[in-house]
Short mmCIF file of all heavy atoms in Angstrom, two decimals:
data_model
loop_
_atom_site.label_atom_id
_atom_site.label_comp_id
_atom_site.label_asym_id
_atom_site.label_seq_id
_atom_site.Cartn_x
_atom_site.Cartn_y
_atom_site.Cartn_z
N THR E 1 -3.14 15.11 -10.03
CA THR E 1 -4.19 14.35 -10.71
C THR E 1 -4.19 12.89 -10.30
O THR E 1 -5.19 12.21 -10.46
CB THR E 1 -4.00 14.44 -12.24
OG1 THR E 1 -2.69 13.96 -12.58
CG2 THR E 1 -4.16 15.87 -12.73
N SER E 2 -3.05 12.42 -9.76
CA SER E 2 -3.01 11.02 -9.32
C SER E 2 -1.92 10.82 -8.27
O SER E 2 -1.03 11.65 -8.11
CB SER E 2 -2.78 10.07 -10.50
OG SER E 2 -1.50 10.29 -11.07
N LEU E 3 -2.04 9.69 -7.60
CA LEU E 3 -1.09 9.28 -6.56
C LEU E 3 -0.56 7.91 -6.93
O LEU E 3 -1.33 7.03 -7.32
CB LEU E 3 -1.79 9.23 -5.20
CG LEU E 3 -1.04 8.57 -4.04
CD1 LEU E 3 0.20 9.36 -3.66
CD2 LEU E 3 -1.97 8.41 -2.84
N ARG E 4 0.76 7.73 -6.80
CA ARG E 4 1.38 6.42 -7.01
C ARG E 4 2.10 6.02 -5.73
O ARG E 4 2.76 6.84 -5.09
CB ARG E 4 2.37 6.47 -8.18
CG ARG E 4 1.71 6.75 -9.50
CD ARG E 4 2.66 6.60 -10.65
NE ARG E 4 3.81 7.47 -10.52
CZ ARG E 4 4.38 8.11 -11.53
NH1 ARG E 4 3.90 7.99 -12.75
NH2 ARG E 4 5.43 8.88 -11.34
N VAL E 5 1.94 4.75 -5.37
CA VAL E 5 2.56 4.22 -4.15
C VAL E 5 3.09 2.82 -4.45
O VAL E 5 2.70 2.19 -5.42
CB VAL E 5 1.56 4.15 -2.97
CG1 VAL E 5 1.12 5.54 -2.54
CG2 VAL E 5 0.36 3.30 -3.33
N HIS E 6 3.95 2.33 -3.56
CA HIS E 6 4.43 0.95 -3.68
C HIS E 6 3.44 0.00 -3.02
O HIS E 6 3.09 0.20 -1.85
CB HIS E 6 5.79 0.79 -3.00
CG HIS E 6 6.93 1.32 -3.79
ND1 HIS E 6 7.58 2.48 -3.47
CD2 HIS E 6 7.52 0.86 -4.92
CE1 HIS E 6 8.54 2.70 -4.34
NE2 HIS E 6 8.52 1.74 -5.23
N GLU E 7 3.04 -1.01 -3.74
CA GLU E 7 2.17 -2.05 -3.17
C GLU E 7 3.01 -2.85 -2.18
O GLU E 7 4.18 -3.13 -2.43
CB GLU E 7 1.62 -2.95 -4.28
CG GLU E 7 0.45 -3.80 -3.86
CD GLU E 7 0.81 -5.13 -3.21
OE1 GLU E 7 1.93 -5.62 -3.45
OE2 GLU E 7 -0.01 -5.66 -2.47
N TYR E 8 2.41 -3.21 -1.04
CA TYR E 8 3.14 -3.84 0.06
C TYR E 8 3.86 -5.12 -0.34
O TYR E 8 5.03 -5.30 0.00
CB TYR E 8 2.19 -4.12 1.23
CG TYR E 8 2.86 -4.81 2.38
CD1 TYR E 8 3.67 -4.09 3.26
CD2 TYR E 8 2.72 -6.17 2.58
CE1 TYR E 8 4.30 -4.71 4.31
CE2 TYR E 8 3.35 -6.80 3.64
CZ TYR E 8 4.15 -6.07 4.50
OH TYR E 8 4.80 -6.69 5.54
N TYR E 9 3.20 -6.02 -1.04
CA TYR E 9 3.79 -7.33 -1.31
C TYR E 9 4.79 -7.33 -2.47
O TYR E 9 5.88 -7.88 -2.33
CB TYR E 9 2.69 -8.37 -1.56
CG TYR E 9 2.00 -8.77 -0.29
CD1 TYR E 9 0.75 -8.26 0.01
CD2 TYR E 9 2.59 -9.62 0.62
CE1 TYR E 9 0.10 -8.61 1.19
CE2 TYR E 9 1.96 -9.97 1.81
CZ TYR E 9 0.71 -9.46 2.08
OH TYR E 9 0.09 -9.81 3.25
N ASP E 10 4.45 -6.74 -3.59
CA ASP E 10 5.38 -6.83 -4.73
C ASP E 10 6.28 -5.61 -4.87
O ASP E 10 7.18 -5.59 -5.70
CB ASP E 10 4.63 -7.11 -6.03
CG ASP E 10 3.73 -5.97 -6.49
OD1 ASP E 10 3.85 -4.85 -5.99
OD2 ASP E 10 2.88 -6.23 -7.37
N ARG E 11 6.04 -4.58 -4.06
CA ARG E 11 6.85 -3.37 -4.03
C ARG E 11 6.87 -2.61 -5.36
O ARG E 11 7.69 -1.74 -5.58
CB ARG E 11 8.30 -3.65 -3.60
CG ARG E 11 8.44 -4.32 -2.27
CD ARG E 11 8.01 -3.41 -1.16
NE ARG E 11 8.39 -3.99 0.13
CZ ARG E 11 7.67 -3.88 1.22
NH1 ARG E 11 6.57 -3.19 1.20
NH2 ARG E 11 8.06 -4.43 2.34
N ALA E 12 5.94 -2.93 -6.23
CA ALA E 12 5.84 -2.23 -7.51
C ALA E 12 5.09 -0.91 -7.31
O ALA E 12 4.14 -0.84 -6.54
CB ALA E 12 5.11 -3.10 -8.54
N MET E 13 5.54 0.12 -8.01
CA MET E 13 4.87 1.42 -7.95
C MET E 13 3.58 1.30 -8.76
O MET E 13 3.60 0.90 -9.92
CB MET E 13 5.78 2.50 -8.53
CG MET E 13 5.25 3.89 -8.38
SD MET E 13 5.13 4.48 -6.67
CE MET E 13 6.77 5.08 -6.38
N ARG E 14 2.46 1.63 -8.11
CA ARG E 14 1.15 1.50 -8.77
C ARG E 14 0.29 2.72 -8.51
O ARG E 14 0.49 3.46 -7.56
CB ARG E 14 0.41 0.28 -8.22
CG ARG E 14 1.12 -1.01 -8.46
CD ARG E 14 0.11 -2.11 -8.55
NE ARG E 14 0.68 -3.38 -8.18
CZ ARG E 14 -0.03 -4.41 -7.78
NH1 ARG E 14 -1.33 -4.30 -7.66
NH2 ARG E 14 0.55 -5.54 -7.49
N ASP E 15 -0.72 2.87 -9.35
CA ASP E 15 -1.72 3.91 -9.14
C ASP E 15 -2.49 3.58 -7.87
O ASP E 15 -3.00 2.46 -7.72
CB ASP E 15 -2.66 3.98 -10.34
CG ASP E 15 -3.68 5.08 -10.17
OD1 ASP E 15 -3.39 6.22 -10.56
OD2 ASP E 15 -4.76 4.78 -9.62
N ALA E 16 -2.56 4.53 -6.96
CA ALA E 16 -3.20 4.29 -5.66
C ALA E 16 -4.69 3.95 -5.78
O ALA E 16 -5.24 3.28 -4.91
CB ALA E 16 -3.01 5.49 -4.76
N GLY E 17 -5.33 4.39 -6.84
CA GLY E 17 -6.74 4.10 -7.02
C GLY E 17 -7.04 2.63 -7.25
O GLY E 17 -8.17 2.19 -7.08
N THR E 18 -6.02 1.85 -7.60
CA THR E 18 -6.21 0.42 -7.83
C THR E 18 -5.93 -0.41 -6.59
O THR E 18 -6.08 -1.63 -6.61
CB THR E 18 -5.29 -0.08 -8.96
OG1 THR E 18 -3.92 0.03 -8.55
CG2 THR E 18 -5.51 0.71 -10.24
N LEU E 19 -5.52 0.24 -5.52
CA LEU E 19 -5.13 -0.47 -4.29
C LEU E 19 -6.09 -0.16 -3.16
O LEU E 19 -6.93 0.73 -3.25
CB LEU E 19 -3.72 -0.05 -3.88
CG LEU E 19 -2.63 -0.29 -4.92
CD1 LEU E 19 -1.31 0.32 -4.47
CD2 LEU E 19 -2.46 -1.78 -5.18
N ARG E 20 -5.97 -0.90 -2.06
CA ARG E 20 -6.69 -0.62 -0.82
C ARG E 20 -5.64 -0.22 0.21
O ARG E 20 -4.49 -0.60 0.13
CB ARG E 20 -7.46 -1.85 -0.32
CG ARG E 20 -8.48 -2.39 -1.29
CD ARG E 20 -9.55 -1.36 -1.63
NE ARG E 20 -10.41 -1.80 -2.70
CZ ARG E 20 -10.25 -1.52 -3.99
NH1 ARG E 20 -9.23 -0.79 -4.38
NH2 ARG E 20 -11.07 -1.95 -4.90
N PHE E 21 -6.07 0.54 1.21
CA PHE E 21 -5.15 1.04 2.23
C PHE E 21 -5.58 0.51 3.58
O PHE E 21 -6.70 0.75 4.02
CB PHE E 21 -5.13 2.58 2.22
CG PHE E 21 -4.52 3.13 0.96
CD1 PHE E 21 -5.27 3.28 -0.19
CD2 PHE E 21 -3.18 3.45 0.93
CE1 PHE E 21 -4.71 3.76 -1.36
CE2 PHE E 21 -2.60 3.92 -0.23
CZ PHE E 21 -3.37 4.09 -1.38
N VAL E 22 -4.66 -0.19 4.23
CA VAL E 22 -4.94 -0.79 5.54
C VAL E 22 -4.43 0.14 6.63
O VAL E 22 -3.31 0.65 6.58
CB VAL E 22 -4.28 -2.18 5.66
CG1 VAL E 22 -4.58 -2.79 7.04
CG2 VAL E 22 -4.76 -3.10 4.55
N ILE E 23 -5.28 0.35 7.61
CA ILE E 23 -4.97 1.19 8.76
C ILE E 23 -4.94 0.32 10.01
O ILE E 23 -5.76 -0.59 10.16
CB ILE E 23 -6.03 2.30 8.92
CG1 ILE E 23 -5.97 3.25 7.73
CG2 ILE E 23 -5.85 3.06 10.23
CD1 ILE E 23 -7.06 4.30 7.74
N GLY E 24 -4.02 0.63 10.92
CA GLY E 24 -4.00 -0.02 12.23
C GLY E 24 -3.35 -1.39 12.26
O GLY E 24 -3.63 -2.18 13.15
N SER E 25 -2.46 -1.67 11.33
CA SER E 25 -1.78 -2.96 11.34
C SER E 25 -0.49 -2.87 12.15
O SER E 25 -0.11 -1.79 12.62
CB SER E 25 -1.46 -3.41 9.91
OG SER E 25 -0.40 -2.64 9.38
N ASP E 26 0.21 -4.00 12.25
CA ASP E 26 1.50 -3.99 12.95
C ASP E 26 2.64 -3.57 12.02
O ASP E 26 3.79 -3.50 12.43
CB ASP E 26 1.78 -5.36 13.58
CG ASP E 26 1.85 -6.48 12.56
OD1 ASP E 26 1.74 -6.23 11.34
OD2 ASP E 26 2.00 -7.64 12.98
N VAL E 27 2.34 -3.25 10.77
CA VAL E 27 3.35 -2.76 9.82
C VAL E 27 3.44 -1.25 9.99
O VAL E 27 2.44 -0.54 9.86
CB VAL E 27 2.97 -3.12 8.37
CG1 VAL E 27 3.96 -2.51 7.39
CG2 VAL E 27 2.90 -4.62 8.19
N LYS E 28 4.63 -0.78 10.30
CA LYS E 28 4.85 0.66 10.54
C LYS E 28 5.69 1.25 9.42
O LYS E 28 6.60 0.61 8.89
CB LYS E 28 5.55 0.90 11.88
CG LYS E 28 4.83 0.29 13.06
CD LYS E 28 3.47 0.91 13.27
CE LYS E 28 2.78 0.30 14.47
NZ LYS E 28 1.36 0.23 14.36
N GLY E 29 5.41 2.50 9.09
CA GLY E 29 6.19 3.22 8.10
C GLY E 29 7.41 3.85 8.75
O GLY E 29 7.64 3.69 9.95
N PRO E 30 8.19 4.60 8.00
CA PRO E 30 9.39 5.23 8.53
C PRO E 30 9.12 6.21 9.69
O PRO E 30 9.99 6.47 10.50
CB PRO E 30 9.97 6.00 7.35
CG PRO E 30 9.31 5.46 6.15
CD PRO E 30 8.02 4.86 6.58
N MET E 31 7.89 6.72 9.74
CA MET E 31 7.54 7.68 10.80
C MET E 31 6.48 7.12 11.75
O MET E 31 5.83 7.86 12.46
CB MET E 31 7.06 8.98 10.17
CG MET E 31 8.15 9.69 9.39
SD MET E 31 7.63 11.15 8.51
CE MET E 31 6.71 12.04 9.71
N GLY E 32 6.29 5.82 11.72
CA GLY E 32 5.31 5.20 12.61
C GLY E 32 4.09 4.72 11.86
O GLY E 32 4.19 4.28 10.71
N PRO E 33 2.91 4.81 12.48
CA PRO E 33 1.69 4.32 11.84
C PRO E 33 1.46 4.99 10.48
O PRO E 33 1.66 6.20 10.34
CB PRO E 33 0.58 4.71 12.81
CG PRO E 33 1.27 4.86 14.13
CD PRO E 33 2.65 5.37 13.80
N ASP E 34 1.08 4.19 9.51
CA ASP E 34 0.85 4.72 8.17
C ASP E 34 -0.20 3.88 7.48
O ASP E 34 -0.66 2.87 8.00
CB ASP E 34 2.15 4.70 7.36
CG ASP E 34 2.22 5.81 6.33
OD1 ASP E 34 1.21 6.05 5.62
OD2 ASP E 34 3.26 6.47 6.24
N LEU E 35 -0.58 4.34 6.32
CA LEU E 35 -1.50 3.60 5.46
C LEU E 35 -0.67 2.59 4.67
O LEU E 35 0.33 2.98 4.05
CB LEU E 35 -2.18 4.55 4.48
CG LEU E 35 -2.95 5.69 5.14
CD1 LEU E 35 -2.95 6.91 4.24
CD2 LEU E 35 -4.35 5.24 5.41
N VAL E 36 -1.06 1.34 4.69
CA VAL E 36 -0.30 0.32 3.97
C VAL E 36 -1.05 -0.02 2.68
O VAL E 36 -2.15 -0.56 2.73
CB VAL E 36 -0.10 -0.95 4.83
CG1 VAL E 36 0.75 -1.97 4.07
CG2 VAL E 36 0.53 -0.60 6.17
N PRO E 37 -0.47 0.30 1.51
CA PRO E 37 -1.12 0.01 0.24
C PRO E 37 -1.03 -1.47 -0.10
O PRO E 37 0.06 -2.04 -0.14
CB PRO E 37 -0.30 0.83 -0.78
CG PRO E 37 0.62 1.69 0.02
CD PRO E 37 0.77 1.07 1.36
N VAL E 38 -2.19 -2.08 -0.33
CA VAL E 38 -2.24 -3.52 -0.59
C VAL E 38 -3.15 -3.77 -1.78
O VAL E 38 -4.21 -3.16 -1.91
CB VAL E 38 -2.77 -4.29 0.65
CG1 VAL E 38 -2.81 -5.78 0.40
CG2 VAL E 38 -1.91 -3.98 1.87
N ASP E 39 -2.73 -4.70 -2.64
CA ASP E 39 -3.56 -5.12 -3.77
C ASP E 39 -4.85 -5.72 -3.22
O ASP E 39 -4.81 -6.47 -2.24
CB ASP E 39 -2.80 -6.15 -4.60
CG ASP E 39 -3.54 -6.51 -5.86
OD1 ASP E 39 -4.43 -7.40 -5.79
OD2 ASP E 39 -3.24 -5.92 -6.91
N PRO E 40 -6.00 -5.41 -3.82
CA PRO E 40 -7.28 -5.94 -3.31
C PRO E 40 -7.30 -7.46 -3.17
O PRO E 40 -7.92 -7.99 -2.24
CB PRO E 40 -8.30 -5.48 -4.35
CG PRO E 40 -7.70 -4.29 -4.98
CD PRO E 40 -6.20 -4.51 -4.96
N SER E 41 -6.60 -8.17 -4.05
CA SER E 41 -6.59 -9.63 -3.97
C SER E 41 -5.80 -10.15 -2.77
O SER E 41 -5.92 -11.33 -2.42
CB SER E 41 -6.02 -10.23 -5.26
OG SER E 41 -4.64 -9.91 -5.38
N ARG E 42 -5.02 -9.31 -2.13
CA ARG E 42 -4.19 -9.73 -1.01
C ARG E 42 -4.60 -9.12 0.33
O ARG E 42 -3.95 -9.33 1.34
CB ARG E 42 -2.73 -9.38 -1.28
CG ARG E 42 -2.18 -10.14 -2.47
CD ARG E 42 -0.77 -9.72 -2.73
NE ARG E 42 -0.13 -10.60 -3.69
CZ ARG E 42 0.90 -10.24 -4.42
NH1 ARG E 42 1.42 -9.05 -4.29
NH2 ARG E 42 1.43 -11.09 -5.27
N VAL E 43 -5.68 -8.36 0.33
CA VAL E 43 -6.10 -7.69 1.57
C VAL E 43 -6.41 -8.70 2.67
O VAL E 43 -6.00 -8.51 3.82
CB VAL E 43 -7.30 -6.76 1.31
CG1 VAL E 43 -7.93 -6.30 2.61
CG2 VAL E 43 -6.87 -5.55 0.49
#
């Protein structure tokens, strides 16, 4: 019913619907390119 992820800057677990996801940045996840969850005010 929902997804929770860590926001990039504050590392707090948040509802993914409140965040934006950045693709194609220089920030890589543990397995390489990933979606980076970012608060809309910090995009």
Side-chain angles (χ1 to χ4, degrees):
T1 57
S2 65
L3 168 66
R4 295 188 302 219
V5 294
H6 283 107
E7 196 274 337
Y8 178 78
Y9 286 103
D10 67 15
R11 303 293 190 215
M13 187 66 85
R14 298 209 206 158
D15 182 88
T18 66
L19 302 173
R20 301 300 172 266
F21 293 84
V22 179
I23 295 175
S25 73
D26 61 4
V27 175
K28 305 296 181 212
M31 295 175 48
D34 210 315
L35 302 150
V36 183
V38 181
D39 186 276
S41 67
R42 296 178 169 157
V43 168

